[in-house]
Amino acid sequence: MQLYDLELSGNCYKIRLFSALLSIPMEKVTVDLRKGEHRQADFLALNPLGQIPVLVDSEVVLRDSQAILVYLARLYGGEDWLPSEAGAMARVVQWLATAANEIAHGPAAARAHDLFGAALDVEQARAGARRIIGIMDRHLRDREWLELGRPTIADIACFPYVALAHEGHVFLTDYPNVVAWIARIKALPGFVNMPGL
Amino acid sequence: MQLYDLELSGNCYKIRLFSALLSIPMEKVTVDLRKGEHRQADFLALNPLGQIPVLVDSEVVLRDSQAILVYLARLYGGEDWLPSEAGAMARVVQWLATAANEIAHGPAAARAHDLFGAALDVEQARAGARRIIGIMDRHLRDREWLELGRPTIADIACFPYVALAHEGHVFLTDYPNVVAWIARIKALPGFVNMPGL
């Protein structure tokens, strides 16, 4: 299994973290965005959106970190990380959508601006970040994990860019339940880190 | 089953369309955004993000149109609309992420600006819309459906805001494969329309 990867990408880190937690061997292929490797024809043939990560598992080629989490959870995670029952699966999937939408355009966008100079409205991104992190903090007031009372790919999908929010100058001091949730994820057996965490 | 709904919302329409295709009875509860009903405490108790649609099925309460599609597909769609095999499921899910990210912030955002006066960078939204619709057009060059050679919730999730793109002044004349795909969706047995389509 090959992961097209970049160390500083939180979306790639989701896959590195989840494959470490499940002890899934993963060959990493670095895609250097600064050199524009994601705009070259051989990479665009794997993912026309020109984004990392991409997972290649013989004939299965998957773009999008959330879809890759679903693939690995269904292949290697049994019923633990993404259950097959409709209600439980949908509860997890609503957080995958939050990761792809509010978190991507909130804390992840603010970090992309501050760290990599991405051209975007950083104040709007920071306001969005505070809004979604505040909602997560209230949600976690009486919960240890986002759904189902146990770690699922909902937590893995939402964790990186929330835990890296300070790199976009959004600070977690007002969100104690989110801070405690981050500490619980960091205490999972097999946890691996990334720069900035 | 109750759907908190608004007729002009493409995200709500995804659920109306899918439940019509699968003949799932659905009681609709209109949430009037102009009256701020999505900001009232009783609605925020269902969805703290203050967004429609929300689905309530006795004790299951789901926000996010993609998660609701997953729920209905797993409950009523057998293996057809969202198969349980890891690779097939993940292929479908990558388009749910595209719907939640590139389509939401592309054609859906441009429409929200032009139709409802949403405060956002409409030129950036239109550029994003053309980019993702162009990628879909190339993807559909040799395919009838987005994945698996048959209609899945990938098509249902991506369809509304692409088919409504003209309401954000993004026109589909340069995307013949997308236009043909829209016609195929409109020809599905049980298809229902929405204003603007």
Side-chain angles (χ1 to χ4, degrees):
Chain A
M1 216 177 285
Q2 288 180 306
L3 177 67
Y4 287 78
D5 180 56
L6 186 69
E7 192 179 24
L8 288 180
S9 158
N11 283 323
C12 293
Y13 168 64
K14 290 177 198 178
I15 311 307
R16 298 198 302 270
L17 170 58
F18 191 54
S19 55
L21 294 175
L22 269 67
S23 305
I24 306 167
M26 194 70 74
E27 181 195 337
K28 281 151 206 149
V29 182
T30 296
V31 181
D32 194 332
L33 304 188
R34 288 163 304 184
K35 289 187 187 162
E37 289 178 357
H38 59 308
R39 300 265 169 243
Q40 290 173 10
D42 52 348
F43 186 76
L44 289 173
L46 292 174
N47 180 6
L49 277 73
Q51 297 165 347
I52 47 171
V54 168
L55 186 83
V56 178
D57 186 15
S58 56
E59 86 284 13
V60 176
V61 179
L62 292 170
R63 60 177 168 81
D64 183 73
S65 57
Q66 276 67 247
I68 297 170
L69 289 176
V70 164
Y71 182 70
L72 297 175
R74 295 304 305 157
L75 259 192
Y76 296 104
E79 290 291 309
D80 291 345
W81 294 87
L82 179 66
S84 53
E85 188 273 319
M89 180 179 281
R91 280 191 171 96
V92 171
V93 168
Q94 59 187 358
W95 291 101
L96 303 187
T98 300
N101 189 343
E102 285 82 7
I103 294 177
H105 292 268
R111 175 176 178 265
H113 175 276
D114 291 358
L115 217 53
F116 307 116
L120 50 82
D121 183 340
V122 70
E123 285 314 319
Q124 192 178 48
R126 283 194 195 114
R130 284 187 285 267
R131 178 153 188 270
I132 189 61
I133 294 171
I135 287 169
M136 292 176 70
D137 196 69
R138 289 188 291 282
H139 180 79
L140 289 163
R141 196 161 39 194
D142 52 2
R143 291 176 181 88
E144 296 211 324
W145 306 97
L146 288 177
E147 294 295 339
L148 312 185
R150 64 173 190 266
T152 67
I153 58 170
D155 303 287
I156 306 300
C158 293
F159 167 70
Y161 289 112
V162 171
L164 290 167
H166 60 277
E167 293 192 334
H169 294 84
V170 173
F171 300 99
L172 300 182
T173 34
D174 291 339
Y175 310 107
N177 304 312
V178 166
V179 169
W181 167 76
I182 288 171
R184 278 190 287 275
I185 292 174
K186 287 187 172 181
L188 288 171
F191 179 85
V192 292
N193 223 323
M194 76 167 272
L197 282 189
Chain B
M1 216 176 289
Q2 289 180 305
L3 177 67
Y4 288 77
D5 180 56
L6 186 69
E7 193 180 22
L8 289 180
S9 158
N11 283 322
C12 293
Y13 169 64
K14 289 177 200 180
I15 312 306
R16 297 198 303 270
L17 171 58
F18 191 54
S19 55
L21 294 175
L22 270 66
S23 304
I24 305 168
M26 194 72 73
E27 181 193 340
K28 279 152 207 148
V29 183
T30 297
V31 181
D32 194 333
L33 303 188
R34 286 162 305 183
K35 291 187 186 159
E37 290 179 356
H38 59 306
R39 301 263 169 244
Q40 289 173 10
D42 53 348
F43 186 76
L44 290 172
L46 293 174
N47 181 6
L49 276 75
Q51 297 165 348
I52 46 171
V54 168
L55 186 82
V56 178
D57 186 16
S58 58
E59 85 283 14
V60 176
V61 179
L62 292 171
R63 61 177 166 82
D64 184 71
S65 57
Q66 276 67 246
I68 297 170
L69 289 176
V70 164
Y71 181 69
L72 297 176
R74 296 303 303 157
L75 260 192
Y76 297 103
E79 289 291 309
D80 290 345
W81 293 87
L82 179 66
S84 52
E85 188 272 320
M89 179 178 282
R91 280 191 173 96
V92 172
V93 168
Q94 58 187 359
W95 291 102
L96 303 187
T98 300
N101 189 343
E102 285 82 7
I103 294 176
H105 292 268
R111 175 177 179 265
H113 175 277
D114 290 358
L115 217 53
F116 307 116
L120 50 81
D121 183 340
V122 70
E123 285 313 320
Q124 193 178 47
R126 282 193 197 116
R130 283 187 285 266
R131 180 153 188 270
I132 189 62
I133 294 171
I135 287 169
M136 291 175 71
D137 196 68
R138 288 188 292 282
H139 180 78
L140 289 163
R141 194 161 41 194
D142 52 3
R143 291 176 180 87
E144 296 211 324
W145 306 98
L146 287 176
E147 294 294 338
L148 311 185
R150 65 173 189 265
T152 68
I153 57 169
D155 303 287
I156 306 301
C158 293
F159 166 70
Y161 289 112
V162 171
L164 291 166
H166 59 276
E167 293 193 334
H169 294 85
V170 173
F171 300 98
L172 300 182
T173 33
D174 290 339
Y175 310 108
N177 304 311
V178 166
V179 170
W181 167 77
I182 288 171
R184 278 190 287 273
I185 292 174
K186 288 186 173 181
L188 287 171
F191 179 85
V192 292
N193 224 322
M194 77 167 271
L197 279 190

